Amino acid sequence: MSASALEELSALRAIYCQPEECAVLAVSETDGIIVRIQTSMKGLLNSDILLKLSFHLPVSYPSSLPNISVNSEQLTRAQCKDVQERLLEQAKSHLSEPMVLELVLWIQQNLKHIIQQSETSDGNEKSTLSRCISTEDGLWTILLHLDHMRAKAKYVKTVEKWTSDLRLTGRLMFMGKMILILLQGRRTNIKEYLILQKTSKVDVDSSGKKCKEKMISVLCETKVQTEHKRFQAFEVKEYSTSDGLQKEFEAAGLTELFSEFVLALLK
């Protein structure tokens, strides 16, 4: 199997890091990789739909297309088949390049339209969207740790643009060599941000050549609780001491998050 396929698998694991979000079902030198992504996205009437997308990446991937299967308890078989066919169609435009992340992002943006088309073409088959019980409504918080920024000014500007486009609030925090990104927003928007972070050439390597972010880790991803305060904007801040950094978390009602995840990085 190709190095790009293994690199993409690593990126998928980093982005879809919550329980059951990413499952590697098989890795074989002869049969390739089978990976399943389970993610929630918006359907008609803004109902949440839990999609299970399985991608079989053959050993010749990405020079050959993946096999894709789609399952969802909130969609009919016909709708799942329509989603599968549209994904396979979209995959053709990404031939010879890693595409799983791009396909997941694409279906997040286009699922409503596909379902609407499916219902229009077959009015006798009723969708079960009303049975969906959302587990992802409301605001989510994610804490990311970056190893370094070589092209700091450009990197910061890019992060500010992404958060603005995706309507995410929070902080980009610098303290000494530590770099943290704390984001709040809809979980689907946070996932889109992570895809951009992992697939865009946002930094430069030691030789000054543009490169993708490979040294990012998700420290925590959780639904915003009542004791948490919502950030009103995205801001870039630098701290001279750990006390200042801690106060930022305390002001946001995230003291436990600081104690559990940030303190270990300060040691």
Side-chain angles (χ1 to χ4, degrees):
M1 66 194 73
S2 69
S4 61
L6 293 174
E7 182 180 338
E8 182 174 25
L9 181 60
S10 176
L12 288 168
R13 283 171 162 165
I15 293 170
Y16 297 96
C17 58
Q18 293 299 303
E20 300 184 357
E21 277 192 326
C22 179
V24 181
L25 306 181
V27 178
S28 168
E29 292 291 342
T30 55
D31 296 327
I33 299 170
I34 301 177
V35 58
R36 184 183 66 218
I37 303 297
Q38 180 173 286
T39 184
S40 180
M41 50 193 73
K42 289 298 179 184
L44 298 179
L45 303 178
N46 280 330
S47 297
D48 282 294
I49 296 175
L50 187 64
L51 274 188
K52 295 180 181 179
L53 306 170
S54 296
F55 299 87
H56 179 192
L57 313 179
V59 291
S60 55
Y61 172 88
S63 296
S64 58
L65 296 174
N67 293 318
I68 304 172
S69 63
V70 179
N71 291 284
S72 175
E73 293 182 359
Q74 289 81 48
L75 298 179
T76 65
R77 287 186 179 181
Q79 288 170 332
C80 286
K81 184 174 177 58
D82 285 343
V83 171
Q84 177 194 36
E85 290 176 351
R86 293 295 298 275
L87 280 170
L88 289 170
E89 190 177 300
Q90 184 69 16
K92 294 176 183 178
S93 64
H94 295 282
L95 190 61
S96 298
E97 62 184 50
M99 66 184 76
V100 175
L101 290 173
E102 283 74 12
L103 293 177
V104 174
L105 179 57
W106 182 86
I107 197 61
Q108 286 177 334
Q109 296 171 336
N110 292 277
L111 183 63
K112 281 185 182 181
H113 180 62
I114 294 171
I115 295 174
Q116 192 171 39
Q117 284 187 327
S118 179
E119 290 197 344
T120 301
S121 62
D122 188 358
N124 294 324
E125 191 168 14
K126 301 297 182 182
S127 169
T128 58
L129 296 180
S130 60
R131 296 207 304 264
C132 177
I133 301 176
S134 171
T135 60
E136 306 214 355
D137 278 345
L139 212 62
W140 281 72
T141 294
I142 189 169
L143 179 63
L144 308 173
H145 177 230
L146 293 179
D147 184 72
H148 60 268
M149 284 185 184
R150 288 193 175 96
K152 182 177 177 179
K154 180 182 177 183
Y155 205 131
V156 169
K157 187 175 180 180
T158 301
V159 170
E160 288 178 323
K161 183 180 187 306
W162 288 343
T163 55
S164 175
D165 291 346
L166 293 170
R167 298 181 181 178
L168 298 175
T169 60
R171 300 287 186 268
L172 171 53
M173 299 176 282
F174 296 92
M175 199 210 77
K177 294 183 178 181
M178 182 187 294
I179 307 170
L180 300 172
I181 301 178
L182 185 62
L183 298 175
Q184 286 184 344
R186 290 198 59 82
R187 201 176 186 196
T188 52
N189 290 2
I190 288 175
K191 290 301 184 188
E192 287 187 36
Y193 175 90
L194 286 172
I195 290 172
L196 289 169
Q197 183 85 61
K198 292 290 291 185
T199 60
S200 303
K201 291 185 178 180
V202 67
D203 205 2
V204 296
D205 60 21
S206 56
S207 64
K209 184 179 179 181
K210 291 182 180 180
C211 66
K212 297 178 183 178
E213 177 59 74
K214 296 182 179 180
M215 301 294 287
I216 185 171
S217 55
V218 179
L219 299 180
C220 177
E221 185 177 4
T222 183
K223 195 169 184 179
V224 173
Q225 305 301 319
T226 54
E227 65 269 21
H228 301 162
K229 293 184 180 179
R230 180 171 181 175
F231 292 111
Q232 298 302 309
F234 182 81
E235 299 178 20
V236 180
K237 291 194 172 184
E238 300 204 18
Y239 308 87
S240 57
T241 66
S242 59
D243 288 342
L245 183 63
Q246 183 173 353
K247 288 178 181 178
E248 186 74 65
F249 280 82
E250 290 175 348
L254 299 171
T255 303
E256 289 186 9
L257 191 150
F258 179 86
S259 300
E260 186 173 354
F261 299 100
V262 181
L263 277 180
L265 298 175
L266 293 171
K267 295 178 181 178

